[in-house]
Amino acid sequence: MQTTSTLGAPALAAPPASRLRWLGPALGLLLALGALYLLTAVYVAGETLLAGAILATLAVAAWVYSSQRLYAYRYLFPGIAAVLIFVVFPILYTVSMSFSNASSRNLLSFERATQYFLDETYAGEGASLQFGLYAQGGGYLLRLQDDEAGAAFQAGPLPLDKPEPAKVKATPASGEAGSEPLPLKDVIRLQPALKALTLQMPDGRELRSTGLRSFGPVNHLYKQEAPGRLKNQQDGSLLTANMRTGFYEQADGTAVQPGFQVGIGLEHYRRIFTDEAFREPFLRIFGWTVAFAGLTVLFAASLGMLLAVLLTWEALRFRSVYQTLLFLPYAVPGFISILVFKGLFNNNFGEINLILDGLFGIKPAWFSDPLLAKAMLLIVNTWLGYPYMMVICMGLIKAIPADLYEASAVAGAGPLTNFFRITLPLVLKPLTPLLIAAFAFNFNNFVLISLLTNGRPDFLDTKIPAGTTDILVSYTYRMAFEDSGQNFGLAAAVSTVIFAMVALLSWINLRAARVTKEVN
């Protein structure tokens, strides 16, 4: 029955309450099905740890949103889940990887490495059969011609759009093919799917793709005799899995690729702190990392506070213009500013060296001299960091009661006395957490190091690639992705050590700030 509003226009009928009651459960069911599909896909891909984390998150979510007693936690759960998935889980995953031998040579799990060997094939005895590929409906018809037996076979229609392993039966062909075979360019396009195809002939033979236009008999190269033991069916040799090194090895100990991941305990941590070839650059890089982060915070905060004091001076004309100009370095994307400075500091053509050469007749080697390269990094990072500190200090100075400065003026105090007795103490307390956060950020400031110096110039006395301007995070990156071994496990161990150091330094700074506050 149609209802009428007070204005005379017909009003829409309200939806039945039963529909609204079932809308929530139906939406929840759809989300649950989608999440289960994602969980299954992750598990099938071999990411067991990630699948377990997703399953635990889904279970807790179902509990929170289905229990009336936990109604208040429904608003907190998304944030907590995001922290667990995007912060806690990566930390735990990195720590777990640090106890393995994961590298570019040991990337697969033991099961997948074993399956890789079992899938290897070699050409068997017997003649290859030529084939033609025909479009049929939504798939493709594969037609093979056995010239020796004067027979033809066919398989299909086959979905060859995706290269997925499949075994299909071939049957005797009846009559001639009704259309022209696909041209060679289409056969080449479908080669990945054809190579993943296994044809089972009526006599029991299995044929695999052996060329662009042929299928031939193939045999599996390895056969599993026992867990961790494979036999080569061509020459009878054996491969034995070494669970210490993460490789299948021949009888003489030669490792065969690909390797697999195995647990090695604290080996990476032992290497970090005891191996002289590793420890020496590590300690030097750690010292420079602390100095780089500390000096950057000191210079940027000092310059920012100085400019903030000047820009809050009421008698200064064109203050808004100066504020805008001085804030511009923060408005420009950081990576653009870094690349601009890389050109300005160019040894031969940079404007900075051209000016220094014209004034003093010198051309500093900014990128090849270790001390100058470090000075260049501090200059650029101070330029990138001072606008933020300036804006924060301006806001803090504005919050200081004007009565304090008026009383100081009555007492005859000057600007320096006002700064050190009023401004600095009142600004430094609320600024301390930001200084600690800036220190932690610059401790891991990978972008600046990577774009400006890439860690160079390198040390000449180290076996592991390391540079004089590397900080720990860039050193870890070079170890994981630029070293010939690409040792992900060792890089994860260094990342864990870095995380522990940053956490410890932050805790010490916070503790020191709390003690200072209590003393004051």
Side-chain angles (χ1 to χ4, degrees):
M1 178 177 179
Q2 192 178 48
T3 61
T4 305
S5 67
T6 57
L7 297 178
L12 296 176
S18 59
R19 294 184 184 178
L20 294 177
R21 187 170 63 251
W22 288 103
L23 181 61
L27 182 60
L29 179 61
L30 290 176
L31 292 175
L33 292 176
L36 290 175
Y37 174 79
L38 175 64
L39 174 64
T40 304
V42 172
Y43 180 77
V44 171
E47 298 293 338
T48 308
L49 185 60
L50 180 58
I54 295 176
L55 179 61
T57 304
L58 292 177
V60 175
W63 180 40
V64 170
Y65 287 100
S66 61
S67 174
Q68 292 297 327
R69 293 183 302 172
L70 301 176
Y71 190 87
Y73 293 96
R74 296 181 183 184
Y75 303 97
L76 298 175
F77 179 77
I80 296 174
V83 170
L84 292 176
I85 293 174
F86 297 109
V87 178
V88 177
F89 176 76
I91 293 175
L92 295 178
Y93 186 80
T94 301
V95 173
S96 65
M97 183 177 288
S98 68
F99 298 110
S100 72
N101 67 336
S103 67
S104 58
R105 301 179 64 198
N106 303 83
L107 201 56
L108 304 177
S109 64
F110 174 69
E111 292 77 13
R112 294 182 67 180
T114 302
Q115 191 61 43
Y116 175 87
F117 287 108
L118 295 177
D119 289 341
E120 285 196 66
T121 59
Y122 66 96
E125 297 180 358
S128 297
L129 306 184
Q130 300 298 311
F131 75 89
L133 202 58
Y134 302 84
Q136 187 180 77
Y140 300 91
L141 179 68
L142 188 67
R143 186 181 175 94
L144 300 102
Q145 186 67 37
D146 190 347
D147 294 330
E148 293 183 0
F153 303 91
Q154 66 181 23
L158 306 170
L160 299 179
D161 296 326
K162 295 182 180 179
E164 297 180 355
K167 180 182 288 189
V168 298
K169 291 185 178 182
T171 59
S174 57
E176 298 292 332
S179 61
E180 291 293 326
L182 296 178
L184 183 60
K185 64 176 183 178
D186 291 331
V187 176
I188 294 175
R189 178 176 60 85
L190 297 171
Q191 270 298 299
L194 291 172
K195 288 185 176 295
L197 193 63
T198 301
L199 296 179
Q200 188 171 9
M201 303 301 290
D203 58 2
R205 291 180 300 162
E206 290 188 354
L207 306 183
R208 299 282 297 272
S209 175
T210 56
L212 289 177
R213 289 289 191 183
S214 62
F215 270 75
V218 293
N219 297 324
H220 289 282
L221 181 60
Y222 291 100
K223 178 182 179 182
Q224 190 166 20
E225 287 197 335
R229 189 173 183 180
L230 305 176
K231 182 178 181 180
N232 189 315
Q233 299 192 92
Q234 269 192 304
D235 55 19
S237 61
L238 294 175
L239 292 182
T240 305
N242 189 328
M243 304 309 292
R244 289 188 305 103
T245 61
F247 287 100
Y248 274 96
E249 296 179 351
Q250 298 176 352
D252 59 356
T254 303
V256 182
Q257 292 282 1
F260 50 90
Q261 296 185 31
V262 294
I264 58 173
L266 299 174
E267 179 62 25
H268 289 315
Y269 296 97
R270 184 201 62 78
R271 182 181 177 188
I272 291 173
F273 295 108
T274 62
D275 189 348
E276 186 65 28
F278 186 93
R279 183 175 58 187
E280 185 178 358
F282 181 84
L283 293 177
R284 281 187 282 181
I285 291 172
F286 171 71
W288 159 240
T289 303
V290 175
F292 167 75
L295 290 175
T296 294
V297 172
L298 176 63
F299 294 156
S302 301
L303 181 58
M305 186 173 294
L306 174 63
L307 294 174
V309 171
L310 294 176
L311 292 175
T312 53
W313 181 30
E314 296 292 341
L316 181 65
R317 299 179 61 188
F318 308 114
R319 284 192 304 159
S320 59
V321 177
Y322 298 144
Q323 290 174 7
T324 303
L325 293 176
L326 291 172
F327 186 73
L328 281 179
Y330 194 72
V332 177
F335 73 93
I336 294 179
S337 299
I338 295 170
L339 294 177
V340 170
F341 271 104
K342 189 172 184 178
L344 293 175
F345 279 103
N346 185 276
N347 292 340
N348 299 316
F349 308 107
E351 284 77 0
I352 293 177
N353 270 13
L354 292 179
I355 295 173
L356 293 176
D357 186 34
L359 293 176
F360 308 107
I362 59 174
K363 281 190 174 183
W366 296 103
F367 291 92
S368 55
D369 184 270
L371 184 60
L372 290 178
K374 292 178 179 180
M376 177 179 62
L377 285 172
L378 291 173
I379 293 171
V380 175
N381 213 22
T382 302
W383 170 268
L384 295 174
Y386 86 83
Y388 176 75
M389 294 295 180
M390 179 188 71
V391 172
I392 296 297
C393 291
M394 287 177 61
L396 295 175
I397 293 173
K398 289 288 186 181
I400 297 176
D403 298 346
L404 297 177
Y405 293 106
E406 294 175 0
S408 177
V410 171
L416 290 178
T417 303
N418 288 341
F419 177 77
F420 286 106
R421 293 297 182 91
I422 300 175
T423 305
L424 185 60
L426 294 179
V427 168
L428 194 58
K429 290 181 180 180
L431 192 63
T432 300
L434 295 176
L435 296 178
I436 296 172
F439 178 86
F441 171 80
N442 286 288
F443 201 90
N444 294 312
N445 195 345
F446 172 77
V447 175
L448 175 66
I449 305 299
S450 177
L451 293 181
L452 194 58
T453 65
N454 200 23
R456 291 172 175 79
D458 283 341
F459 291 119
L460 301 179
D461 56 348
T462 60
K463 298 179 181 178
I464 299 174
T468 54
T469 60
D470 266 323
I471 58 177
L472 287 176
V473 65
S474 64
Y475 176 47
T476 305
Y477 176 85
R478 294 180 67 179
M479 186 189 310
F481 298 104
E482 294 184 5
D483 188 13
S484 58
Q486 293 188 347
N487 198 329
F488 306 131
L490 182 59
V494 177
S495 300
T496 304
V497 173
I498 294 174
F499 171 76
M501 288 178 176
V502 173
L504 180 61
L505 291 173
S506 299
W507 180 82
I508 292 174
N509 287 332
L510 288 173
R511 188 69 178 172
R514 185 180 304 173
V515 170
T516 303
K517 181 178 179 180
E518 292 175 353
V519 171
N520 291 336

